[in-house]
Amino acid sequence: MSIQESYERIYGASPVAIQQVPGRVNLIGEHTDYNGGLVLPTAINKSVSVAIGEAADDYYYFTSAIFPDPVRRDLSKIRTGHWSDYPLAAFAWLKAQGGWQKGAEVYIDSDLPHGSGLSSSAALIVAILKAVTELTGPYMTDTEVAKAAQRVENEYLAVPCGIMDQMAVAVARPGQALLLNTETLAFELIELPHAHSFVVAHSGVYRRLDEGRYALRRRECDAAAAALGVKLLCHLTEESAKGLIPKLEQPMRQRARHVWTEHCRVQQAASALRAHELEELGQLMTESHHSMRDDFEISLPVIDEMVDCSRRFGALGARLTGGGFGGCFVSLVETAKVDDWQQRMLQAFPEITFV
Ligand code: ADP
Ligand code: MG
């Protein structure tokens, strides 16, 4: 059934706007986004779709294909811990901007796993903002939509995320990587190769209480930047990074070393991707994993094993992707060998699911 038909079956009328937005996976550049650095995410083939119509009253009605409990909400309280907080927050932002003023009937469908670091939250919020603003105005560029979606998570949902997720899902299409300067939001789209694939696998480990650890890493990075006399770690020059980071106290030294080397690796990875130097790209992905494991300390032993195995079974490179402490890892595999590689991975780790 199409999303239009599902909507009509539930609400008994036609939607006025429909929008589909992909999820994303970060190929390289982890925890650089809130340090003013570069990231290189790509859109994936899984997405979130929304269908929206006007309600007869001032309430917001939300139904999702993946959550069993449809709800009626109002804007008096947004953060309740219910899944519908996210779409409600998007409407709260729209209303505050003088956009959509009435209640809404919303149907959400997706094949993008949620809570797995593939940015279902950003895809959902961007989908609602695009659907509504394309209908009612004001005209917004993809970058403006991404910034608004970040504010929805930061200010309305108190989720301290950077700008990468929203930019990736608002700008990139599957088959394209987005080289993004997270400070200026300048970006370049780079086509992905066909003979090689970036395969995303969920480790089977679900992140728990990771907001606390994410906030701690942010504080450690801020402390390192302050000790180095820069506003953000990626403002360092190559010379000052080399000279000053080794003099920091722990754990700031390790944290800053990860962020700085990761920022440099993204630049090298983008060059490798443009030049189709995939061995080099794979090598950089693996170095990135080691930096997350040893310096930023956001990996887990079981994910380290999966990443090592991935390479033993033929991947050119592999790394944890996303915030860390569980979630997904991404491997660069020759497309013709993906089936065989996946079977071997599943034999070694039955808990893996391929995205
Ligand atoms: P992710 O890593 O997928 O972005 P988050 O925890 O940031 O994980 O966001 C997940 C939240 O986004 C869900 O709890 C829910 O509120 C919302 N969400 C994502 N996908 C859907 C969906 N298909 N239907 C309804 N809500 C969704
Ligand atoms: Mg999210």
Side-chain angles (χ1 to χ4, degrees):
M1 209 189 303
S2 70
I3 186 163
Q4 166 116 12
E5 288 165 340
S6 302
Y7 180 96
E8 285 167 356
R9 180 177 283 198
I10 293 162
Y11 295 113
S14 294
V16 294
I18 290 179
Q19 190 69 235
Q20 183 177 18
V21 171
R24 69 98 187 92
V25 68
N26 195 19
L27 301 179
I28 194 162
E30 220 66 69
H31 290 263
T32 46
D33 62 343
Y34 52 86
N35 288 298
L38 295 166
V39 291
L40 189 69
T42 178
I44 60 175
N45 271 323
K46 302 274 164 88
S47 60
V48 177
S49 299
V50 297
I52 299 172
E54 231 168 61
D57 52 28
D58 288 337
Y59 288 102
Y60 297 85
Y61 299 82
F62 297 110
T63 308
S64 168
I66 63 164
F67 292 106
D69 45 342
V71 287
R72 187 184 82 168
R73 304 282 304 265
D74 63 53
L75 293 176
S76 60
K77 188 162 196 269
I78 293 173
R79 288 165 55 200
T80 63
H82 192 265
W83 63 263
S84 59
D85 294 356
Y86 280 70
L88 183 66
F91 278 97
W93 183 87
L94 285 163
K95 187 161 191 182
Q97 302 309 304
W100 185 283
Q101 293 297 314
K102 308 193 185 71
E105 293 175 334
V106 181
Y107 179 72
I108 305 162
D109 196 3
S110 78
D111 59 357
L112 177 66
H114 63 96
S116 298
L118 300 172
S119 285
S120 71
S121 59
L124 172 59
I125 293 167
V126 165
I128 293 174
L129 298 186
K130 279 195 173 182
V132 172
T133 55
E134 281 176 16
L135 184 74
T136 65
Y139 170 78
M140 289 169 85
T141 62
D142 287 344
T143 299
E144 285 164 348
V145 170
K147 282 186 181 170
Q150 185 197 16
R151 287 190 60 188
V152 169
E153 288 209 42
N154 289 172
E155 292 170 23
Y156 290 76
L157 296 162
V159 177
C161 56
I163 186 71
M164 165 174 69
D165 299 358
Q166 291 78 8
M167 281 297 284
V169 306
V171 174
R173 290 288 148 257
Q176 297 175 323
L178 178 80
L179 175 65
L180 174 69
N181 178 320
T182 56
E183 196 168 26
T184 62
L185 301 190
F187 64 82
E188 174 192 343
L189 289 166
I190 306 175
E191 295 300 314
L192 295 183
H194 294 290
H196 288 78
S197 303
F198 292 96
V199 189
V200 184
H202 196 285
S203 63
V205 184
Y206 285 84
R207 298 170 287 152
R208 263 180 234 110
L209 299 174
D210 71 323
E211 281 80 10
R213 287 184 280 197
Y214 179 86
L216 175 63
R217 288 295 179 274
R218 284 189 80 138
R219 284 200 302 277
E220 290 167 345
C221 289
D222 288 345
L228 294 166
V230 286
K231 189 164 156 257
L232 294 166
L233 280 175
C234 297
H235 290 174
L236 288 168
T237 61
E238 203 173 326
E239 209 181 294
S240 60
K242 275 203 180 115
L244 299 177
I245 289 175
K247 294 186 183 137
L248 287 174
E249 280 175 28
Q250 291 289 35
M252 269 60 83
R253 190 192 318 152
Q254 282 173 241
R255 307 300 186 238
R257 191 166 54 201
H258 166 74
V259 170
W260 177 256
T261 58
E262 186 76 354
H263 173 66
C264 298
R265 276 188 292 271
V266 178
Q267 252 160 342
Q268 295 168 305
S271 305
L273 198 53
R274 284 188 211 102
H276 297 278
E277 285 164 358
L278 296 167
E279 294 275 349
E280 163 81 3
L281 181 59
Q283 183 63 35
L284 289 160
M285 289 170 67
T286 302
E287 282 172 23
S288 165
H289 183 79
H290 294 160
S291 177
M292 289 189 282
R293 178 191 67 191
D294 301 332
D295 278 347
F296 219 60
E297 297 184 289
I298 54 169
S299 189
L300 297 171
V302 63
I303 294 179
D304 298 337
E305 262 179 65
M306 289 172 183
V307 163
D308 288 349
C309 246
S310 166
R311 289 170 48 236
R312 273 208 302 285
F313 293 161
L316 298 181
R319 60 185 291 279
L320 169 69
T321 179
F325 307 108
C328 294
F329 62 98
V330 56
S331 305
L332 180 58
V333 186
E334 215 179 298
T335 305
K337 293 184 180 161
V338 167
D339 284 346
D340 177 56
W341 173 88
Q342 281 185 327
Q343 285 201 352
R344 296 181 72 185
M345 286 300 287
L346 277 176
Q347 245 164 28
F349 303 98
E351 67 270 40
I352 285 177
T353 46
F354 291 104
V355 174

